Amino acid sequence: MANPLKGEVIRLYKTLLYLGREYPKGAAYFRERLKYAFMKNKDETDPEKIKQLVARGDHVIKELEALYFLRKYRAMKKRYYDPEK
């Protein structure tokens, strides 16, 4: 792995690992899938390909955050709004 991108990859992994704690299917399931995805690409040396993979990981972060915000919104709506309307 290229040295300048190593920090970005580690940051991405740590962020995804942190976000995976609240994953609907469970943290263990998410951690297993995350490890598999990173191990699949561990031998990648092309800096452009690594940048593409990091960009894809950033997109996954945004999708996870949207999933969690939606779940919180639904819980708040269910709690405070009349379900008969």
Side-chain angles (χ1 to χ4, degrees), residues 18-64:
Y18 177 78
L19 288 173
R21 296 181 310 156
E22 297 180 29
Y23 194 70
K25 288 189 175 182
Y29 172 82
F30 186 85
R31 186 172 43 249
E32 179 183 317
R33 298 282 306 262
L34 179 65
K35 183 178 179 181
Y36 173 75
F38 273 79
M39 293 301 283
K40 184 174 73 172
N41 295 307
K42 72 177 183 175
D43 296 326
E44 190 63 51
T45 57
D46 182 29
E48 290 302 316
K49 178 70 173 172
I50 294 172
K51 287 179 185 178
Q52 288 177 346
L53 292 169
V54 169
R56 183 175 179 194
D58 288 334
H59 178 72
V60 170
I61 288 173
K62 291 177 186 174
E63 290 291 323
L64 282 172

Side-chain angles (χ1 to χ4, degrees), residues 81-85:
Y81 290 103
D82 188 16
E84 295 176 6
K85 290 184 179 180

Side-chain angles (χ1 to χ4, degrees), residues 2 7-9 13-14 19 21 46 48 72 74 77-78 84:
E8 285 187 52
V9 173
Y13 187 80
K14 286 182 178 182
L19 288 173
R21 296 181 310 156
D46 182 29
E48 290 302 316
K72 287 179 183 179
R74 286 180 177 163
K77 185 176 179 183
K78 186 176 180 182
E84 295 176 6

